[in-house]
Amino acid sequence: MQLGQYWRFLTPTALPFTLEQGRTMLVDRLTGAPPRPFQARQFVHEHATPGDPADVLRTLDRFSLEVRFLMSVGPEKGPLMSEMVGKLPEGARVLECGAYCGYSAVMIADRLPAGGRLVSVEVDPIAAEVARSIVDLAGYSDRVEVILGGSTETIPKLAGPFDLVFLDHWKELYTTDLQTLEKHALLRPGSVVVADNVGEIFGAEKYLDYVRTCGRYESEHRPATIEYTQIPDAVEISVYRGGN
Ligand code: CA
């Protein structure tokens, strides 16, 4: 989302959330609190049972609801992801753009079929460090690789194809990153591309227009809410048909 689009979060439905985010960011700044992902890591390491992925996710949910909001995929949209991962063939390869604190990485890893692998690309070094730590705590370091780097530079270096791609990073990169995946033959016919946060509030019209009109995808819109809130959001699920 570009800076000019933050006005979208000033609607009556979103305003209490926006003000609360402003308040907690100010409190953290004034008290010299560590970055939010570090706070989450400490909380999860203190409260979750190592090697228990479900408990790690529950503890991240608890942190998000009781301490500080985390932009994880969350308990509403998460099961949708899990269901799709569960249908993938043996040895499936999954790509995630935007690891953040590792919530979705743990959720995806938990449902990967035998021999499946997840590559998660994260541009923020703090988030990448936390994601690795949380994936490790859940016991999934063997099947998840967190790569520190920008998606635009990293995607062309990856080996594909990917059976499922989860776009959950900067919304203005969704379209160009998807086009890079196409250009570098990192999708196969039948690959599923799941784009989070494509509700009106995020201004993802360009991406939605692309997957719906370029002729290479069968695309479906699933209404949802922003994790841990009642603010309307949506997920777009697009199945790659192949072609030029
Ligand atoms: Ca998201």
Side-chain angles (χ1 to χ4, degrees):
M1 187 166 50
Q2 289 163 359
L3 269 181
Q5 294 181 340
Y6 276 102
W7 60 267
R8 291 171 187 268
F9 279 82
L10 300 177
T11 59
T13 326
L15 192 59
F17 169 79
T18 308
L19 291 175
E20 177 61 10
Q21 290 314 298
R23 186 191 72 78
T24 52
M25 283 164 72
L26 186 63
V27 168
D28 283 359
R29 176 74 61 89
L30 293 175
T31 58
R36 197 168 290 205
F38 283 163
Q39 295 181 44
R41 178 178 63 181
Q42 186 179 353
F43 187 88
V44 173
H45 278 266
E46 280 173 8
H47 295 96
T49 307
D52 183 344
D55 194 46
V56 168
L57 294 177
R58 268 196 306 273
T59 310
L60 278 168
D61 288 335
R62 219 178 105 203
F63 177 85
S64 301
L65 287 164
E66 297 173 9
V67 186
R68 290 288 183 268
F69 171 83
L70 295 178
M71 47 181 181
S72 309
V73 69
E76 188 207 15
K77 291 178 276 186
L80 177 69
M81 279 297 294
S82 292
E83 190 191 321
M84 283 186 284
V85 175
K87 290 178 184 164
L88 294 174
E90 274 192 14
R93 291 177 50 75
V94 178
L95 170 66
E96 174 182 53
C97 293
Y100 194 42
C101 293
Y103 185 106
S104 37
V106 171
M107 190 164 251
I108 291 167
D110 198 46
R111 292 300 298 274
L112 274 175
R117 297 272 302 165
L118 166 67
V119 174
S120 187
V121 180
E122 173 56 54
V123 71
D124 174 11
I126 290 175
E129 184 186 330
V130 170
R132 285 190 191 115
S133 162
I134 286 181
V135 164
D136 191 44
L137 185 73
Y140 286 144
S141 296
D142 60 333
R143 64 188 78 171
V144 177
E145 181 187 7
V146 177
I147 297 178
L148 173 61
S151 55
T152 312
E153 302 77 50
T154 306
I155 287 171
K157 299 176 195 161
L158 298 174
F162 291 99
D163 300 281
L164 191 144
V165 176
F166 184 42
L167 299 175
D168 194 20
H169 57 329
W170 290 103
K171 313 312 162 202
E172 58 269 31
L173 294 178
Y174 280 18
T175 311
T176 48
D177 282 352
L178 186 59
Q179 289 167 335
T180 306
L181 285 161
E182 293 171 8
K183 185 178 156 200
H184 290 266
L186 295 172
L187 299 176
R188 59 158 177 83
S191 291
V192 182
V193 181
V194 182
D196 192 19
N197 309 120
V198 294
E200 202 177 328
I201 198 162
F202 286 100
E205 294 86 358
K206 187 180 154 204
Y207 176 80
L208 295 179
D209 186 55
Y210 179 72
V211 288
R212 290 169 187 178
T213 62
C214 75
R216 288 187 282 279
Y217 298 89
E218 199 70 58
S219 209
E220 184 192 345
H221 201 61
R222 294 273 189 101
T225 55
I226 294 181
E227 49 274 13
Y228 315 111
T229 77
Q230 295 305 309
I231 304 169
D233 192 9
V235 174
E236 187 81 2
I237 302 169
S238 312
V239 180
Y240 186 60
R241 289 184 187 139
N244 299 308

